[in-house]
Each structure stands twice: as structure tokens, then as C-alpha cells.
Amino acid sequence: MIKNISDILIETIKEHYLTSPDYNGLSATALANKGLEITKVNQVISALVLDGYVGVLSDKVDDNPHINRLGFPNIERQLEELQNNINSCILYPTSKAFATEADHECINPMENLLKLGYPQLRFIYFEYDILFHYAIDPRIHFTFNDYSGSIVSSDETDKRRYINLKTFGIGRDGSRFVIAALPRDLRNMSLANQMLWEAHRIQNPINCKVLNNYLENELYGNWNFPQTVYRSILEEEKNINVLSEHIFGEKFFRETFNKSELHGFEMLPFPSRNLYNNFLLLLEKISVSNINEKIFDKLIGDATVENGKRISSLTCLSKWLDYVCPQGKDTICNPLKKVRKVRQGPAHKILSDNYEPGLLNEQHEMCASVYESFNALRILLTSHPRAKGLNLSLKDTQYIVI
């Protein structure tokens, strides 16, 4: 059967794409080496672009057009490049070009996405639950910090379950949290892990968005690491201690922490009730139980004692605020009271574990309120006459919201 020029072009572009080391496109000028006259086939290529079988990149569209990094520009721009800049055009088969093949599937699902033309730097989105398979396995080096992480097998891991995902990020699918990763990283997993991630892949990611800071770090080399609410809480504690020691000669918190010292003070790797309860206990120790009661001897004196007993630090804080800033008392005290209240259950009862996706948002809201409490207290202390001219090293503690 004599093949027409369109079939020959598609087969030539596909063959180069599939046999190249990294799913590279075929330069339009290379067609001449295959006995095809560029000027004669330009019209045919344009028709294939219009029909969705071929995609076009050029050095005017992408810094590295030899790899389909982010996808193709609109049809009009592709045709414009073919018309005015054909010698720098790089041609790719699209997923539609593979759709008619009976045997087009690859055994590795992540590899198959690339084989079928998925852009190498376009994020794939997964259900947040995928992290559960790695977060509690001691054979896996699982790191999760500042809305991104990595998953690397230890030497104890069976090679059939090998994983070396150097980076993943956090995103949103509407209101729910999701995991985002790049196909070029996912393709290096073992088959077992590729199948596992494929089972958690979000098939319709139209509403999925990755955290913008993470996207800029991964794709554009802008190393602007995001400030998280967890880190912001710890930074405000440091600010408050500097201010209170300068003003009153006593630290407000017994201790301050660096985030690297606090294992688990971050987003839950899995929304289970047990993990959330453990986080609440840690948050309470860092915040409410960390308040230095001695400072109130200077702030409210004998009012720290009622009926012969010393009152709680939160009650002392509330009394002091009644004197100095009653309008700000609820903003400062209520979040800390809530932390103390909600941690009472896991601290004194044996509770059953449950899977509760809403805990991710609940955790974020709880921490956001604690940050607002500490931020308001810091602003109040900054207004003290003795704080005038005091330079805080951590002036901007605002965190990103995903």
C-alpha cells in the first residue's frame, strides 16, 4: 500500500520521538535528510497541526524546544512559527497521533504518559492519601517540609519497590489538598510504585493548582522558599521573647524553637485522627504550655493567685490584657484557649483512629489562629514605650496561603 505524505510525516516524527533518549522532537530541517523537501511538506505539516496530530515548538516559543516541557502554544502561534521560522521548528507527535495504534500502551504508567506526549514539566496531580504509603514506613526516607518533600528508598527496601522521588509539592483541587509531581521524576520509580501512584492519580485535574512558589522553584529556578504558618508561629514566639525580655526583663515563652528541631510540626502526611491528635499535643506544648508563668508576677503581681492557688497562665494573660488592651483580648486568648481545650481529649482519653480528610483544613485553620494570636501579642508589645527603637530581626512573619 502506498502511503501518502501525511502518513509518512507522522511515522517519521513518531519514530524519532520514541527512539530518542528523552522523547525529543524532530527538527523540521532534519526532514531534508530523510528525503522530504521542507517547502513542499510545510502545507502538510500545517494541516497535521490543525488536525491535532503534530505539535510545534521553536526557540521563539521555548528556551529548549527539543523537549516538550510545558506543552504547545495555541494553534495560531504554531502555524505562525511554521510559516516564518520553520528552520528552528521542532515537531512532535501528539497523543492523538498515538490514539489509533492498538499497541501503544507502555507497561509503566508514568512512562506511558510521556510516551503519549504528556509535557515533561507539567504537573500530575494525585490524591493526598498517596503519602500514607511512605510516611510511616521506617524503610523510606520520607521528608515533608514547607509544603514540599521527597521520598527515597533506603538500602533495606526491596528493589521491586524502589522509589526515588526527589521532590513533590502541595496543591489544591478546589478545596481539598492534593500532591503534585512531575512525570520526569515519577518515571524513575519501580513498576510497583508507578502502579500505586497511577491508582491515586486525579483523572480530571481541571481545577488542580500547585503552590505557586513551588512551581517557580521547580520550573523557573526562582529559589523563593515559601514561609509556612508553622514556621511563622515559631518566628513570632522569638519576636515576643525579644520584646518581653527587653521591656519586662523576663521572657514570655520558656523556650523558642527552630522548625528543624520539631519533628511533626508540619502538615499531616495523612489525615488520620491519631496523627492529628499527636500534632495537637505538640502544638499545645509549643504554645500554651510554653508560656513562662514568672512573667505574670511582674505584669499583674498578686493577681496571679486566687483562693490561695496560682491561676493558669492563660487566665493570667487574660487578666493582664483586661488592664492593657481589653479590645484585643479575644484575638490573643481565644485561639490559645481552643488549643488547650481540643488537646484535652487525646491527652486524657483512649480514642479510636479515623480517616478524616477535613483534618488537613482543620489543622491549617487552628495554626492560622495561633499565628494571629501571637502576631497580635507581638504588635501589642511593640507599642510599649520601652520597645521604641528596638530592631527585630524577624520583622516579616507572614506566611503563604495555599
Side-chain angles (χ1 to χ4, degrees):
M1 183 177 67
I2 299 176
K3 296 183 178 180
N4 60 40
I5 187 66
S6 295
D7 292 336
I8 294 173
L9 282 173
I10 291 177
E11 287 187 6
T12 302
I13 295 168
K14 284 166 62 176
E15 179 184 10
H16 179 83
Y17 179 78
L18 294 174
T19 58
S20 63
D22 202 21
Y23 296 110
N24 304 112
L26 176 65
S27 170
T29 57
L31 293 174
N33 298 329
K34 298 179 180 292
L36 300 170
E37 177 61 46
I38 293 179
T39 55
K40 292 183 178 180
V41 301
N42 193 345
Q43 186 175 359
V44 180
I45 295 174
S46 298
L48 292 173
V49 170
L50 279 170
D51 290 338
Y53 290 99
V54 170
V56 177
L57 294 176
S58 75
D59 55 10
K60 296 184 182 301
V61 172
D62 194 296
D63 291 336
N64 182 9
H66 295 277
I67 296 176
N68 181 10
R69 301 193 303 166
L70 301 170
F72 307 113
N74 59 45
I75 297 294
E76 290 74 15
R77 181 63 190 277
Q78 293 183 61
L79 295 176
E80 179 184 337
E81 291 301 303
L82 286 171
Q83 181 67 33
N84 302 323
N85 195 29
I86 190 168
N87 287 331
S88 69
C89 285
I90 309 298
L91 311 177
Y92 291 85
T94 65
S95 56
K96 186 176 180 179
F98 291 102
T100 57
E101 295 187 15
D103 188 24
H104 71 275
E105 291 196 13
C106 171
I107 190 171
N108 296 341
M110 299 304 155
E111 187 76 30
N112 195 44
L113 283 173
L114 292 176
K115 178 183 175 182
L116 297 182
Y118 195 92
Q120 296 191 31
L121 297 184
R122 179 180 293 170
F123 285 101
I124 304 175
Y125 296 92
F126 304 88
E127 296 163 336
Y128 195 90
D129 302 1
I130 186 64
L131 298 185
F132 174 73
H133 300 279
Y134 309 99
I136 61 176
D137 190 338
R139 299 168 299 175
I140 299 292
H141 298 300
F142 177 87
T143 60
F144 189 32
N145 190 29
D146 292 347
Y147 304 140
S148 66
S150 64
I151 307 171
V152 179
S153 303
S154 69
D155 294 337
E156 303 172 28
T157 307
D158 190 307
K159 290 184 178 179
R160 293 173 299 175
R161 295 176 177 83
Y162 173 82
I163 183 171
N164 184 18
L165 183 60
K166 66 177 183 179
T167 180
F168 65 84
I170 301 300
R172 287 271 194 174
D173 180 12
S175 61
R176 67 169 175 162
F177 287 103
V178 295
I179 300 300
L182 294 171
R184 67 175 185 183
D185 298 325
L186 294 162
R187 68 188 290 195
N188 296 322
M189 298 178 180
S190 66
L191 175 59
N193 277 296
Q194 287 200 38
M195 297 297 289
L196 179 62
W197 282 70
E198 175 63 18
H200 286 271
R201 182 160 68 95
I202 296 174
Q203 299 297 324
N204 184 19
I206 188 171
N207 294 319
C208 290
K209 293 183 178 180
V210 71
L211 181 67
N212 190 57
N213 296 73
Y214 182 72
L215 183 149
E216 291 185 353
N217 290 352
E218 288 301 303
L219 302 190
Y220 307 116
N222 298 333
W223 298 109
N224 178 24
F225 294 98
Q227 176 88 331
T228 68
V229 67
Y230 312 100
R231 193 179 297 275
S232 294
I233 287 172
L234 302 180
E235 290 188 353
E236 285 293 26
E237 285 194 338
K238 292 177 182 178
N239 283 333
I240 291 168
N241 264 11
V242 170
L243 286 161
S244 63
E245 191 168 27
H246 181 82
I247 297 168
F248 308 116
E250 190 78 56
K251 293 180 179 179
F252 189 87
F253 295 105
R254 293 190 185 92
E255 296 182 72
T256 57
F257 307 90
N258 294 320
K259 191 168 179 299
S260 59
E261 302 170 341
L262 298 173
H263 176 69
F265 194 57
E266 57 204 8
M267 284 185 69
L268 300 177
F270 187 71
S272 75
R273 178 55 64 176
N274 276 352
L275 288 177
Y276 183 58
N277 287 342
N278 290 338
F279 176 84
L280 288 176
L281 293 174
L282 179 59
L283 177 62
E284 198 275 340
K285 289 177 182 177
I286 292 169
S287 57
V288 181
S289 292
N290 194 27
I291 296 175
N292 177 18
E293 294 179 347
K294 292 180 181 179
I295 194 172
F296 296 109
D297 293 332
K298 296 186 176 183
L299 296 181
I300 59 176
D302 293 341
T304 59
V305 177
E306 289 182 359
N307 300 322
K309 294 182 179 180
R310 189 176 184 93
I311 59 178
S312 71
S313 58
L314 283 182
T315 304
C316 288
L317 177 61
S318 180
K319 279 192 171 187
W320 175 64
L321 290 170
D322 280 334
Y323 298 143
V324 299
C325 186
Q327 69 273 20
K329 183 175 76 169
D330 288 347
T331 300
I332 295 173
C333 290
N334 286 354
L336 302 180
K337 289 178 181 178
K338 184 175 181 180
V339 170
R340 171 59 60 86
K341 181 180 179 180
V342 297
R343 57 81 63 185
Q344 294 294 333
H348 301 290
K349 297 178 182 178
I350 298 176
L351 302 173
S352 60
D353 196 13
N354 293 304
Y355 167 71
E356 301 177 40
L359 291 176
L360 294 171
N361 283 317
E362 188 174 324
Q363 177 195 27
H364 184 78
E365 291 168 4
M366 177 77 73
C367 289
S369 69
V370 170
Y371 168 78
E372 293 301 328
S373 167
F374 289 172
N375 182 249
L377 178 57
R378 189 253 286 198
I379 292 172
L380 174 61
L381 292 175
T382 303
S383 68
H384 194 283
R386 292 180 188 170
K388 186 177 181 180
L390 181 63
N391 184 35
L392 294 175
S393 61
L394 302 169
K395 294 180 180 179
D396 184 11
T397 61
Q398 275 295 327
Y399 58 91
I400 58 168
V401 178
I402 60 174

